[in-house]
Amino acid sequence: AMFQGLKGNFMHTTRLLTQTLSLIAVSLLAIAYPAHAQQYAFRTLHAFGPSTDNNKNFNSDGAGPLATLALLPNGTLFGAASKQGPNGSGTLFSVQNKALTVAYGFTPLDASGNNADGGMPESLAAGSDGTIYGATVAGGRFGFGTVFAYSSGKFTTLYNFPSSTGKEANISAGPDNSIYGTSEAGANKEGQLFKISNGAFVDLYDFPAPSG
């Protein structure tokens, strides 16, 4: 998804081919020249590294950056790669001063598909307190994904989805720093709106099944 930064720059991640983190810089010219009001310059900020094993399960920084980018007030940009990385379960990364740093590598999944922190992160949101929140679609205590927080270098698992409740979860951070999200699950299997606060999951709304 396209994302606008603090200085008006548009940024997005690409999944295919070179797995690049890209930036489109938008420059607004004088109002007197409306025909030239927007000029675009494309730059690749980071190309995700090659695999370090024959099965293409591992690399240094991750691959498949699917999550929408999240921007903190200090200008630090966060993103998530859904696979590979040093442990093969994806990464959380930051970009500052045009340099990418792996902030966290999700731990390996065991034979049952479980771990302590989740795997395949596919949703991110920035909280008003400077915390990065995210959701994974795999791993965790039950193997169905997690909701996590990352702040000041500390990673915390906030919630383990006990079933497919979190399938394809897409989250945002509320003004109270509760996590709100949607998923493809729900009582009617047609999607739901949920809230996670203080480690508790609340089903706010289940989308109805089609009639007829």
Side-chain angles (χ1 to χ4, degrees):
M2 191 71 74
F3 176 87
Q4 187 170 17
L6 295 176
K7 296 181 180 180
N9 297 328
F10 286 87
M11 292 161 277
H12 75 289
T13 54
T14 60
R15 179 180 182 182
L16 302 177
L17 300 176
T18 57
Q19 306 286 2
T20 58
L21 174 66
S22 306
L23 177 149
I24 299 176
V26 179
S27 301
L28 296 179
L29 301 179
I31 298 177
Y33 303 96
H36 303 284
Q38 292 184 335
Q39 293 180 342
Y40 299 93
F42 181 93
R43 287 185 295 162
T44 297
L45 292 182
H46 182 79
F48 288 86
S51 302
T52 56
D53 66 310
N54 292 333
N55 294 325
K56 297 184 178 181
N57 292 325
F58 305 96
N59 70 358
S60 62
D61 48 6
L66 301 180
T68 300
L69 300 170
L71 183 67
L72 294 183
N74 66 2
T76 301
L77 185 69
F78 276 84
S82 64
K83 56 185 179 179
Q84 294 196 38
N87 300 314
S89 300
T91 63
L92 176 69
F93 60 83
S94 64
V95 179
Q96 194 169 31
N97 298 323
K98 302 177 184 179
L100 184 142
T101 301
V102 175
Y104 187 78
F106 291 85
T107 59
L109 304 180
D110 64 20
S112 299
N114 304 335
N115 66 1
D117 50 2
M120 298 181 65
E122 294 192 358
S123 182
L124 286 184
S128 59
D129 60 351
T131 299
I132 293 294
Y133 297 96
T136 71
V137 299
R141 184 183 306 167
F142 308 106
F144 294 101
T146 63
V147 173
F148 64 84
Y150 181 86
S151 180
S152 302
K154 182 180 179 181
F155 182 98
T156 304
T157 300
L158 299 176
Y159 184 75
N160 290 272
F161 289 109
S163 64
S164 59
T165 303
K167 183 180 180 182
E168 302 298 329
N170 187 30
I171 65 166
S172 62
D176 57 352
N177 288 319
S178 294
I179 305 303
Y180 295 86
T182 57
S183 80
E184 293 184 359
N188 302 311
K189 308 300 182 184
E190 296 293 335
Q192 69 178 168
L193 174 66
F194 64 84
K195 173 183 178 180
I196 296 175
S197 182
N198 298 320
F201 181 95
V202 180
D203 186 347
L204 298 176
Y205 181 76
D206 292 294
F207 291 93
S211 59

